[in-house]
Amino acid sequence: MSEKKKFYITTPIYYPSDKLHIGHAYCTVATDAMARYKRLCGYDVMFLTGTDEHGQKIEDKAKAAGVSPKEYVDNIVEGPQGVKDLWKLMNISNDRFIRTTDDYHVAAIQKIFKKMYEKGDIYKGKYVGKYCKPCESFWTESQLVDGKCPDCGREVQDAEEEAYFFRLSKYADRVQDLLENTDFLEPRSRVNEMVNNFIKPGLEDLCVSRTSFQWGVPVDFDPGHVVYVWIDALFNYTTALGFMNDKYDDFKKYWPADVHFIGKEIVRFHSIIWPAMLMSMEMPLPKKVFGHGWLLLDGGKMSKSKGNVVDPYLLAQRYGVDSLRYFLLREFPFGTDGNFSNETLIGRINTDLANDLGNLVSRTTAMVGKYFGNNLPAGCGATEDEKDLANMLAQSRGSVDLAANFPEDDPRKFDVELIALAAGLRNTYEDKMEQYAFQDALMEVFKLIGRANKYIDENKPWALAKDEAQQDRLAHVLYNLLECVRISAVLLTPFMPETCEKIFAQIGAGDSQRTWESAAVWGALSTDAQVSKGENLFPRIDAAKELEELAALEEAAKAEAAAKAEPEYITIDDFAKVKFVTAKVLACEAVKKSKKLLRFTLDCGEGQTRQILSGIHEYYEPEDLVGKTVVACVNLAPRKMMGLESNGMLISAVKEGAEGHEELHLLMLDDKVPAGCTLG
Ligand code: MSP
């Protein structure tokens, strides 16, 4: 028996620094669809995913959360609604999951680092940058904000740190050749970006160790240094197979990878640094790196800090995992960015899944139930002519206008059209899948689904049912529809595995009628299949009502995120820009025609009075404020309100309520405090 062909596919390993969002799920769902497709085609597939758990960001987050870095990542990887949970929810069929904190990986990375060091491709040098003493942090020039420490805003000093470097420059020509003269990196548009922006300006050696934090793989021959996270992360694709460790023994079997699926912002690491390091290690290169686009929200990147992350749990719960999987891969071409919106999600589910696929399955199974008690009569299946025709078309990959051979009123012309489309489908689908063109592959399948729905209208089974002489024809029409459903379901399985199982059960398709081979055979479904109309696969969504509910949920989530958001720090210089002074209220009166505004005449210790308008009349009567000592910001740009100029702002303590200020108290100081004192 010949050995099965191998296919090794990976996703990026995820940073467990926050909860994952639907954008993260995009790449993993695509990888899963590809892995399932290859398994369907008969490949021996290895599908790897995992988590990238080291680095300063994680160390800092753990510190802020008051736990150890390992505890921090354990919770996000293994905990409730963590990374592993999410992949379970999304029905991800990975064969292996690597955590870069796994012992075998850590030990392997140490060996790999040492090997490149011994070869002379990693050498010790000096990392020149800037140092902030109070924060004990090294920064590069480009990380500084206005030339100052991005953390505390203080002055930084020139500094040098001992560090190891990888001779990336040595591999520049070979990497350029790989990118320009092979299909290593796709889509091709990303090649120019890499070559023009990074290689042509000159590849510098890469700093590959750090001493400013500890949370990483220690360089075992030089304590104090930890290995740069990207070396640690990229080699996961090999250590997870057993490279330089005994945990697994699949390296020979699966390496090199057939494809790494990754997001566009990490193409540089995968198409320049990764092949250069593999060249240094004298290892075969992966066959392909595919850099997909981003899922955007309102045209921008999804990000937790913006409070705009779309929660896959919420979406899966409302619409089902398969609808979500389908939407992600059908709505956007895989290589380019796509804008996520609730409207497009609901629209896609309603049109493709509820109207087209769902309807086809329910109408077909309902009619087999109604007209034939769930079992079609023997002999209604594909004729020898039809099988031959399908066979010929499946082999030829061509399209032929067969319907032209039949007279206008001969219903068999509908049959050959339908069969021709179905018979050629697996080939076109395969072509698209092999190019990772998921959207196109799905569109091909839905052409058949659409054609089958049209076939129902053309043949009007409800009219045939009324005519005793048309019973054979009716059974044949329904059989043809079941075959279309079956072939579509085989090809949709990688995208919607659970739904396709349900479809197979409803049309009574056995195991041999669910295979890749059977998708190219017309007439594979046996005529004595037990059909049963099951649950509605995709209930139609009331879009208007749903959008309203989602908007309300989003508002609530945003408010929660804002409440939890990390403070946005300003520097001491920013703070010093605002000038607060103490002021005595010399006079105060209501502004005519305004319900809110009070006009204050103030002594701010400036040798002349200052006029400030403040919208606090709902809370205070003007006469009660005269003589009080208050706080004013005096360097706000002047502005006019109700025709009067306001030169600053009075400071109040405010408690925000749902619809404005719940409480407001003008900040008043002890009257002993003189006018004109600065606050700070
Ligand atoms: N840890 C690195 C990868 C190391 S691989 C050796 C990393 N992790 S990540 O968690 O930040 O991102 C993981 C993947 O999710 C990346 O491929 C990234 O492009 C993808 N996405 C994150 N947000 C995304 C969208 N909004 N849309 C599509 N993909 C996005 O990078």
Side-chain angles (χ1 to χ4, degrees):
M1 221 175 77
S2 69
E3 228 191 303
K4 272 187 173 186
K5 279 201 277 179
K6 314 276 184 296
F7 187 77
Y8 178 31
I9 184 167
T10 66
T11 71
I13 46 172
Y14 291 78
Y15 285 127
S17 59
D18 277 315
K19 247 179 85 172
L20 301 189
H21 52 67
I22 192 75
H24 293 113
Y26 181 53
C27 184
T28 311
V29 167
T31 314
D32 185 64
M34 197 63 203
R36 286 178 186 270
Y37 155 73
K38 284 287 179 179
R39 286 191 203 109
L40 183 66
C41 295
Y43 282 73
D44 171 349
V45 172
M46 169 59 77
F47 165 13
L48 172 71
T49 187
T51 41
D52 179 7
E53 306 186 3
H54 289 125
Q56 181 146 29
K57 196 157 97 188
I58 305 267
E59 188 175 279
D60 290 351
K61 289 230 170 187
K63 205 165 166 191
V67 293
S68 72
K70 184 68 167 66
E71 283 168 333
Y72 184 82
V73 290
D74 277 353
N75 182 41
I76 300 186
V77 178
E78 315 269 351
Q81 297 210 347
V83 181
K84 287 189 175 173
D85 246 14
L86 177 61
W87 299 155
K88 206 164 147 198
L89 171 83
M90 297 306 292
N91 209 352
I92 301 302
S93 64
N94 55 298
D95 299 288
R96 206 156 281 173
F97 189 100
I98 184 171
R99 298 183 57 178
T100 55
T101 49
D102 289 340
D103 289 345
Y104 74 91
H105 172 79
V106 170
I109 291 300
Q110 290 179 323
K111 287 185 194 157
I112 291 166
F113 193 89
K114 199 165 181 183
K115 193 165 173 205
M116 289 194 276
Y117 176 70
E118 281 166 356
K119 186 178 179 186
D121 274 355
I122 285 181
Y123 61 93
K124 202 167 188 177
K126 279 205 173 79
Y127 173 78
V128 180
K130 301 284 176 187
Y131 187 64
C132 173
K133 230 179 183 176
C135 296
E136 292 184 84
S137 297
F138 278 94
W139 302 107
T140 58
E141 197 76 52
S142 63
Q143 285 171 319
L144 301 180
V145 176
D146 297 332
K148 303 207 170 107
C149 171
D151 269 2
C152 72
R154 279 179 274 220
E155 295 293 335
V156 289
Q157 307 159 353
D158 288 333
E160 289 182 351
E161 188 192 21
E162 262 198 341
Y164 287 91
F165 287 82
F166 172 67
R167 287 190 202 284
L168 189 57
S169 54
K170 174 175 160 187
Y171 296 98
D173 291 346
R174 279 176 69 189
V175 172
Q176 184 169 349
D177 181 51
L178 174 76
L179 295 182
E180 287 184 331
N181 301 319
T182 73
D183 291 334
F184 177 76
L185 176 59
E186 276 185 26
R188 288 297 292 176
S189 55
R190 308 220 184 272
V191 170
N192 293 341
E193 198 185 319
M194 290 301 119
V195 172
N196 296 338
N197 297 355
F198 299 108
I199 301 185
K200 285 199 174 148
L203 268 188
E204 282 179 24
D205 289 353
L206 181 73
C207 181
V208 288
S209 77
R210 295 284 188 271
T211 51
S212 49
F213 62 91
Q214 276 93 48
W215 185 237
V217 176
V219 175
D220 53 354
F221 55 88
D222 197 348
H225 289 261
V226 293
V227 174
Y228 177 42
V229 276
W230 273 101
I231 293 201
D232 173 3
L234 286 162
F235 274 98
N236 93 86
Y237 300 131
T238 63
T239 60
L241 299 178
F243 181 66
M244 294 255 181
N245 68 81
D246 298 329
K247 167 94 176 165
Y248 298 109
D249 191 19
D250 300 309
F251 182 70
K252 270 208 187 103
K253 182 168 169 192
Y254 291 111
W255 191 256
D258 289 272
V259 62
H260 296 309
F261 275 1
I262 55 159
K264 64 177 186 180
E265 86 284 18
I266 54 176
V267 165
R268 180 167 73 91
F269 298 96
H270 283 80
S271 68
I272 298 178
I273 297 173
W274 182 220
M277 286 196 299
L278 288 169
M279 287 168 189
S280 165
M281 292 289 290
E282 294 165 33
M283 290 162 73
L285 305 182
K287 293 179 199 154
K288 193 168 297 296
V289 167
F290 191 98
H292 64 75
W294 279 347
L295 217 59
L296 305 175
L297 205 65
D298 304 325
K301 199 173 179 211
M302 293 183 179
S303 90
K304 183 135 191 265
S305 55
K306 286 189 213 153
N308 64 8
V309 251
V310 182
D311 181 359
Y313 283 92
L314 181 124
L315 297 175
Q317 185 208 0
R318 294 180 89 83
Y319 312 119
V321 169
D322 278 354
S323 301
L324 203 51
R325 288 173 59 110
Y326 172 78
F327 168 76
L328 289 175
L329 298 179
R330 166 61 185 83
E331 195 64 35
F332 319 107
F334 192 46
T336 55
D337 290 350
N339 211 13
F340 179 94
S341 79
N342 294 327
E343 282 93 330
T344 44
L345 171 63
I346 295 169
R348 184 58 69 192
I349 295 174
N350 275 345
T351 49
D352 293 11
L353 300 181
N355 283 3
D356 294 350
L357 176 61
N359 252 342
L360 175 65
V361 176
S362 71
R363 285 164 93 191
T364 305
T365 52
M367 288 190 289
V368 177
K370 187 170 171 195
Y371 303 135
F372 295 102
N374 288 330
N375 278 112
L376 291 179
C380 71
T383 63
E384 288 311 313
D385 280 356
E386 285 171 343
K387 285 185 188 168
D388 288 348
L389 164 70
N391 213 358
M392 181 192 85
L393 287 170
Q395 313 267 322
S396 72
R397 289 187 181 240
S399 67
V400 197
D401 185 9
L402 297 153
N405 298 331
F406 292 93
E408 203 35 43
D409 57 351
D410 188 335
R412 282 175 304 162
K413 77 173 192 257
F414 301 134
D415 298 3
V416 288
E417 253 182 39
L418 189 73
I419 294 168
L421 199 61
L425 177 59
R426 198 193 73 171
N427 289 337
T428 30
Y429 169 92
E430 183 180 15
D431 292 345
K432 306 295 180 197
M433 290 299 281
E434 291 298 327
Q435 296 162 32
Y436 315 114
F438 303 112
Q439 186 188 45
D440 294 345
L442 286 169
M443 275 162 40
E444 291 298 332
V445 180
F446 274 76
K447 273 187 203 161
L448 178 64
I449 292 168
R451 184 67 191 81
N453 273 320
K454 191 171 157 214
Y455 181 80
I456 299 181
D457 299 337
E458 287 165 344
N459 285 286
K460 302 187 179 50
W462 48 91
L464 298 176
K466 289 186 191 140
D467 185 346
E468 204 44 49
Q470 293 287 352
Q471 292 311 292
D472 287 350
R473 173 73 195 151
L474 174 62
H476 192 58
V477 165
L478 295 183
Y479 178 83
N480 288 345
L481 288 168
L482 288 174
E483 267 303 75
C484 289
V485 170
R486 182 188 65 80
I487 291 173
S488 304
V490 173
L491 302 180
L492 288 175
T493 299
F495 298 89
M496 299 191 283
E498 272 180 18
T499 303
C500 293
E501 281 293 309
K502 289 184 193 161
I503 295 178
F504 289 134
Q506 291 193 17
I507 62 169
D511 286 348
S512 64
Q513 295 140 30
R514 304 173 181 199
T515 62
W516 178 244
E517 291 68 32
S518 79
V521 176
W522 183 259
L525 191 71
S526 48
T527 47
D528 57 5
Q530 177 70 31
V531 176
S532 57
K533 182 177 169 359
E535 58 172 312
N536 191 352
L537 296 172
F538 302 102
R540 223 192 130 70
I541 302 167
D542 176 342
K545 186 163 156 261
E546 187 63 22
L547 287 172
E548 220 170 86
E549 278 181 39
L550 284 176
L553 285 171
E554 240 160 60
E555 276 307 309
K558 266 188 200 159
E560 203 183 308
K564 280 197 204 146
E566 286 172 17
E568 270 186 33
Y569 290 110
I570 57 167
T571 64
I572 188 96
D573 293 345
D574 292 332
F575 181 76
K577 280 186 195 151
V578 189
K579 193 169 173 203
F580 293 113
V581 300
T582 54
K584 299 279 177 192
V585 180
L586 302 177
C588 182
E589 61 181 29
V591 172
K592 275 186 206 138
K593 292 191 192 157
S594 166
K595 278 191 196 149
K596 289 189 177 171
L597 284 180
L598 293 180
R599 177 159 84 105
F600 288 82
T601 307
L602 301 161
D603 171 9
C604 295
E606 299 164 311
Q608 60 184 42
T609 60
R610 176 182 283 266
Q611 172 172 291
I612 291 183
L613 304 180
S614 181
I616 58 173
H617 199 173
E618 297 169 64
Y619 305 93
Y620 291 98
E621 287 309 320
E623 54 275 18
D624 295 340
L625 297 173
V626 177
K628 299 290 183 197
T629 308
V630 295
V631 176
C633 166
V634 289
N635 60 344
L636 263 190
R639 67 176 182 133
K640 278 207 165 162
M641 289 185 264
M642 308 290 287
L644 297 168
E645 190 166 273
S646 181
N647 293 291
M649 185 172 80
L650 293 184
I651 308 303
S652 298
V654 172
K655 186 159 189 207
E656 302 284 353
E659 292 183 3
H661 297 158
E662 206 168 89
E663 272 183 50
L664 181 145
H665 304 273
L666 186 63
L667 201 60
M668 290 190 230
L669 303 178
D670 192 320
D671 291 333
K672 281 196 290 232
V673 179
C677 302
T678 53
L679 275 76

